[in-house]
Structure formats: C-alpha cells, structure tokens
Amino acid sequence: MDFFHQTGKLAIGSRLRILTDKVTADAAAIYAMFGIDLKPKWFPVFFLLSQDKPQTVTSIAREIGHTHPSVSKIIQEMAAKGLTETTRDTNDARRNVVQLTARGKKISHSLMQQCIDVTAAIERITRQTRNDLWQAIEEWENLLEEKSLLQRVKDERKARERKNIRIVPYAPCYQPAFKTLTEAWITAHWNMEEADLHTVNSPQEYILDNGGHIFIALDGDDPVGVCALCKMHDSIHGYELAKLAVSAKAQGKGIGELLCQTVIAKASELGARKLFLESNTILEPAIRLYRKLGFRETGSNRHTYARGNIQMEMDINPDTQHLPPDHGTADA
C-alpha cells in the first residue's frame, strides 16, 4: 500500500485497524461455516465462560482486559441469544455471577473443533512469516504498559524542543526579562515581598555583586526562563538556588530542569558542598523536580520568605564530580 509506505510507522494504528477488520470479517464467516451463532467480539467473554466457572463482570473485564461497560454489554447481547444467564453467587449473595446456559455449553463444544482448525491455519501463516506477530504484539503490550505511547510522544517532543534552548549567563540586557518572569511566577500565587523587589530591580547589586550568578534560558533569542545562584553567608550552605521561573508559554519543555542543572554545576564548580533552596509545597511539579535532582528536606523552620513552607538542600562534592578526564591514569 503506497499510503503506508509514505507514512511509515506513523500510521501503525490505521494499519492495525485494517488488519483487525480483515481478521474480524473472516472470523464471522468462519463461525457461519461451522454453524455457530456467535459474534467475533463475544469470543473473549464466551471462551472464559466456557471454562465452566461462573464469573463476575468485574473478574471477566480484568481477565480479558476490557472495560466493565464493554463486558456488561456483551453479556447482555449473549443473554438475548440464550447463551448466558446471571445468578446470585452461592458463596456471596451480594454478588451476581455469569455462566453459560445449556445452549451456550452446547455451542462451546462445537467451538472446540473450529478452534483446532483456526489455530492450525494461524500457525501455518506464522511459519510463512519472518516475524512472529503474536510475540511482537506481546512485546508492544509490555512496553506500552511500562510507558504509554502518549507519554513517549511527550518525551520525544520535549527532547526535540529542548534542542532549541540555550542557557546563558546574565547580562544587563536580560534585566527586564528577569524581572518580568520572576514577578509572573511569584504573583501567580503570592504577593511580591521586599526581598523580591530588591533582587528583580537590582540583580547586579543584590545577587551578582554579592558573589552570585544568574542564568537565562533562551528559546532562540527569546528569554523564557531564569534561575539564580545566590551566595549565602552561613557555615552550612554556601549557595542558594533561587528565583527559578519559566514562562507559561514555554513550560513542559524541561527548561526548569536545564536551569537547575546549570545552577548545580556552577555551585559545584565554585566549591560549594551544600546547595540550599526554599519553596512552597503547592508548587508540586517544582518539588518533584527538586527531589529528582537530589534535594531533600532540611527540617528547618527558618523561612526567608512568607510564602516559604519547605526548605531543601543537596550535597555537592566537587572533589569527585569534577575530576580531570585522565584522573587516575598517569604513567607510573
């Protein structure tokens, strides 16, 4: 099919539907050939009930991987044909169970002969192919159970879009962007505090001249994110990760993570052994990111900002993180 050669694997869903339609159409004809009054879509439910064990709708749905409403509808259709009946569970009167009727069991016996021939035909097709479709389907199912196609596409999109992102050191031309992005992040939930106003209006004086650094994330030439590494003057924490903000239009690209990684690397380069941050637990994505990067709660109740309700820190060991490439390989 030229269409699928043009689209490639992009149209896998459409191609599988066409294959499913072909197999389903043949299945209906096969049932008719064997004189069995059964619809192909009933087969999973019918086969499970043919094991001669009453089942609840919930257990059937779980076993065959269908939804509860889907199984309920199939059972109703089969009941209308006199193939199933619903009764009270003898072990638990609160539950209804489904089983085959005498007519259903008779059809089940006839179905066994059909299954022998269908299985043989499928095995013959399998021997004529280079790839085992049944095994491939199971592999796909397992992989999609681990991570859905939707999440995989999200990951690919993020990776592609991140290629356009550059992290650059602060320059005076970025002061308006630093102020705008920081204010937008803070005022989305809280009010600007005095310390905030000092840093966004005079970052050179309050951050850079005090031994800190600011990094700007650029999408092309457009500033879309900021993050600061502020020098702290205490005996425990050398630096603080602060003022992390990403434009709403650029969120979902992993820019916050790139900024944090840049700040962490700079802190390590400067010889910091602990990096501190203060945040708020309502910022759940940010807290997840900090934990992912290695931050943990300090348990301290000292808060610089009224909005802060969680303080975190991470250990940094520049002695092991920044060894020269040929460390340990010198000639004797």
Side-chain angles (χ1 to χ4, degrees):
M1 297 181 182
D2 289 340
F3 171 73
F4 292 123
H5 289 153
Q6 293 174 31
T7 63
K9 296 179 178 67
L10 180 65
I12 186 171
S14 298
R15 193 162 190 176
L16 286 173
R17 277 192 295 274
I18 291 175
L19 179 60
T20 299
D21 289 344
K22 287 182 178 179
V23 173
T24 301
D26 278 349
I30 292 169
Y31 283 126
M33 181 177 70
F34 280 84
I36 297 174
D37 188 13
L38 207 65
K39 291 183 178 180
K41 70 173 184 177
W42 296 350
F43 177 76
V45 176
F46 187 87
F47 183 85
L48 197 60
L49 293 176
S50 69
Q51 308 306 306
D52 206 25
K53 179 183 177 182
Q55 301 264 11
T56 65
V57 173
T58 300
S59 65
I60 295 172
R62 183 171 55 248
E63 183 75 17
I64 67 176
H66 285 202
T67 64
H68 191 284
S70 172
V71 172
S72 293
K73 184 177 180 181
I74 289 174
I75 289 174
Q76 290 173 6
E77 293 175 355
M78 292 170 62
K81 288 287 188 177
L83 303 179
T84 63
E85 59 183 0
T86 301
T87 60
R88 290 289 183 183
D89 189 344
T90 55
N91 296 320
D92 186 348
R94 295 170 299 177
R95 300 194 314 169
N96 291 330
V97 292
V98 183
Q99 60 187 0
L100 293 180
T101 61
R103 182 169 184 267
K105 291 178 181 179
K106 183 177 180 181
I107 290 179
S108 175
H109 294 314
S110 301
L111 185 63
M112 293 303 102
Q113 298 302 314
Q114 174 184 322
C115 289
I116 292 173
D117 295 342
V118 171
T119 299
I122 292 174
E123 291 288 356
R124 188 176 296 276
I125 292 174
T126 300
R127 289 194 296 270
Q128 293 175 322
T129 62
R130 288 180 295 176
N131 303 296
D132 189 327
L133 178 61
W134 190 254
Q135 182 177 350
I137 290 174
E138 183 174 359
E139 292 172 346
W140 268 73
E141 288 172 341
N142 291 336
L143 289 171
L144 292 179
E145 185 68 26
E146 294 174 7
K147 183 187 290 187
S148 69
L149 179 59
L150 172 61
Q151 185 57 54
R152 291 172 187 272
V153 173
K154 286 181 178 178
D155 292 345
E156 294 296 334
R157 178 184 179 182
K158 181 185 293 186
R160 173 176 56 81
E161 292 179 337
R162 282 176 66 161
K163 292 179 181 178
N164 298 323
I165 304 300
R166 292 181 295 129
I167 308 297
V168 300
Y170 176 86
C173 63
Y174 296 126
Q175 191 274 331
F178 178 66
K179 179 178 181 178
T180 299
L181 289 167
T182 303
E183 286 184 342
W185 163 71
I186 294 174
T187 57
H189 300 283
W190 305 282
N191 294 320
M192 294 284 287
E193 300 180 33
E194 184 177 356
D196 298 316
L197 295 172
H198 289 321
T199 55
V200 299
N201 288 318
S202 303
Q204 181 71 45
E205 177 183 356
Y206 285 93
I207 297 178
L208 302 179
D209 291 348
N210 281 327
H213 298 265
I214 300 173
F215 296 95
I216 311 296
L218 299 177
D219 189 350
D221 295 323
D222 184 20
V224 293
V226 296
C227 192
L229 176 66
C230 299
K231 187 74 172 72
M232 298 182 70
H233 302 284
D234 65 42
S235 59
I236 299 176
H237 303 104
Y239 290 88
E240 176 185 6
L241 186 154
K243 297 297 183 285
L244 173 63
V246 177
S247 169
K249 67 180 182 181
Q251 291 178 4
K253 298 181 180 181
I255 295 173
E257 184 172 359
L258 288 175
L259 284 164
C260 287
Q261 289 171 341
T262 302
V263 166
I264 292 169
K266 187 63 178 179
S268 180
E269 177 188 324
L270 294 171
R273 293 189 176 276
K274 282 186 181 292
L275 184 60
F276 171 85
L277 69 81
E278 184 172 1
S279 187
N280 190 290
T281 50
I282 69 169
L283 304 174
E284 294 181 1
I287 300 300
R288 285 197 299 270
L289 171 60
Y290 298 145
R291 295 191 192 283
K292 174 184 175 182
L293 292 170
F295 284 91
R296 63 184 185 279
E297 292 185 48
T298 65
S300 172
N301 292 319
R302 183 192 69 187
H303 298 294
T304 304
Y305 297 95
R307 62 180 175 269
N309 71 353
I310 182 173
Q311 293 185 328
M312 308 179 78
E313 65 181 10
M314 73 175 296
D315 294 320
I316 300 177
N317 189 345
D319 297 332
T320 58
Q321 289 186 10
H322 293 277
L323 295 175
D326 59 345
H327 180 80
T329 61
D331 293 336

